[in-house]
Amino acid sequence: MRELSGELDRNLKLISRELGVRIGQRGGAVRISGDPRSVEATSRLLQQLYELVGTGLALHPSTVEHACRMVLRDPDVPISSFFSEVVLVGNRRKPIFPRTLTQRIYVHAIRDHDIVFGVGPAGTGKTYLAMAMAVAALKRDEVQRIVLCRPAVEAGEKLGFLPGDLAEKVNPYLRPLYDALNDMVKFEHAERLIERGVIEVAPLAFMRGRTLSDAFVILDEAQNTTIEQMKMFLTRLGLGSKAVITGDITQVDLPESRTSGLVDAVEVLQGLERISFVEFDATDVVRHRLVSDIIRAYDRHRAGRIAPDATAPTAPGGEE
């Protein structure tokens, strides 16, 4: 019960705030009051979390918050099936697991397919989960190396003035991949793997002319690839390799005259065996809860801006 309640009852307070109920605890008993449906959902959530704590799962506040989000979307969701499906145990013994239904579909798609496209807004865990799957595959000796790459496209800022050699200039583009990697592998161990070439982090341009065999390859920020770059990347795949391509088609930084390689690939490659497409939306955001609200606000604004004018005159024959 102490683990379930959390330090100073922080877990119970979090659940109370998220689900709109009042929770009181005395000894080993918990009393829930509020709307009957919310009380029932809270009771079911607490029971499942209690059982998970019994299996040894540490209840971080973020874990409890994500569990609440699942219950708000679907009161009957089997929480235990998500939290027991651990992809990788990262640094500080923190388990990494799918936190939404789409994330779970995504993890299964990566396991079952050679190429997976994860498309959706920022903060949905596309790259992070792909990285966790890659590290897990490396630990199981399913692949011999991990290759992480991104297109070096400036997001509205000019970085060419930065000092240093080529590697130092492109490092800012690749920093998010290093950050995710260091969350899963101790820094010193990650450095050794990079020095030995077991883990390679490089700009997409460095992939031309190569064949990547027995590798887990991740292409991040793929919305900023051109059609030619995407075709080049996909044709690098060798025997025993797996590729995950992630991106957000609403944040393309290419010139307006260029079509995103990610948008084109999603259209061209539909129906091919061993290729899977997983689409995320704002409900899958696992960052600060405001992030999903921000994404929805932008989507509503964009939809209103491009909606046809209802007052526009109608042409003869009923056509506008």
Side-chain angles (χ1 to χ4, degrees):
M1 281 301 300
R2 284 196 300 271
E3 179 68 25
L4 176 63
S5 301
E7 184 179 355
L8 300 177
D9 290 339
R10 65 181 182 184
N11 291 341
L12 295 183
K13 291 176 182 176
L14 176 59
I15 294 171
S16 175
R17 184 177 68 251
E18 293 290 325
L19 299 185
V21 296
R22 293 183 299 277
I23 302 177
Q25 180 193 1
R26 177 173 294 180
V30 174
R31 181 179 179 85
I32 310 167
S33 58
D35 176 76
R37 294 177 63 182
S38 298
V39 168
E40 183 180 352
T42 304
S43 175
R44 193 157 42 243
L45 170 63
L46 287 173
Q47 181 64 38
Q48 293 189 73
L49 291 178
Y50 183 82
E51 293 172 358
L52 284 169
V53 168
T55 67
L57 177 70
L59 282 184
H60 295 276
S62 60
T63 303
V64 177
E65 183 175 355
H66 291 307
C68 291
R69 291 187 191 180
M70 290 185 200
V71 170
L72 287 172
R73 285 195 293 268
D74 180 5
D76 298 320
V77 63
I79 298 292
S80 56
S81 66
F82 284 86
F83 290 83
S84 60
E85 192 170 349
V86 176
V87 173
L88 179 73
V89 177
N91 286 338
R92 298 178 295 279
R93 307 300 298 171
K94 184 178 180 180
I96 299 171
F97 45 81
R99 299 178 185 272
T100 70
L101 177 59
T102 307
Q103 285 192 353
R104 192 180 185 192
I105 293 170
Y106 183 57
V107 166
H108 289 184
I110 293 174
R111 287 176 180 160
D112 299 336
H113 297 80
D114 294 330
I115 297 177
V116 175
F117 286 83
V119 182
T124 50
K126 305 182 298 296
T127 304
Y128 194 82
L129 277 176
M131 184 80 75
M133 294 290 287
V135 173
L138 183 67
K139 288 186 174 182
R140 293 193 298 264
D141 291 325
E142 294 175 2
V143 295
Q144 299 303 308
R145 56 180 170 158
I146 299 172
V147 181
L148 314 170
C149 62
R150 300 180 82 184
V153 176
E154 297 157 345
E157 301 178 41
K158 299 299 181 183
L159 301 180
F161 66 90
L162 292 174
D165 58 21
L166 179 60
E168 292 171 324
K169 282 182 179 292
V170 300
N171 189 62
Y173 298 103
L174 307 175
R175 189 73 257 166
L177 296 178
Y178 284 110
D179 291 342
L181 178 62
N182 290 330
D183 202 30
M184 300 168 193
V185 182
K186 290 184 178 179
F187 180 80
E188 298 79 8
H189 185 45
E191 287 293 305
R192 289 196 298 270
L193 292 175
I194 292 173
E195 289 175 3
R196 290 162 43 199
V198 177
I199 297 179
E200 178 183 352
V201 186
L204 178 60
F206 287 14
M207 297 297 106
R208 190 171 297 279
R210 301 178 58 184
T211 300
L212 304 173
S213 300
D214 297 314
F216 196 117
V217 192
I218 300 174
L219 173 59
D220 190 31
E221 297 290 334
Q223 76 274 7
N224 289 329
T225 62
T226 63
I227 294 176
E228 295 78 14
Q229 286 175 327
M230 179 61 76
K231 181 180 178 182
M232 178 272 292
F233 171 81
L234 292 172
T235 54
R236 299 306 94 200
L237 212 60
L239 296 175
S241 289
K242 185 184 293 286
V244 179
I245 299 97
T246 68
D248 178 3
I249 59 176
T250 69
Q251 296 192 39
V252 178
D253 298 314
L254 295 171
E256 292 185 6
S257 60
R258 304 300 298 270
T259 300
S260 167
L262 177 60
V263 174
D264 181 73
V266 170
E267 296 177 358
V268 171
L269 302 179
Q270 290 287 345
L272 293 185
E273 290 187 21
R274 310 298 299 171
I275 297 181
S276 177
F277 299 87
V278 180
E279 187 170 346
F280 296 80
D281 59 31
T283 63
D284 298 302
V285 171
V286 292
R287 291 179 183 168
H288 193 290
R289 63 180 306 150
L290 264 179
V291 174
S292 59
D293 295 336
I294 291 169
I295 292 170
R296 290 192 185 97
Y298 272 97
D299 287 343
R300 287 194 300 268
H301 179 73
R302 186 178 296 107
R305 190 172 54 192
I306 64 176
D309 186 356
T311 62
T314 304
E319 297 181 358
E320 293 184 357

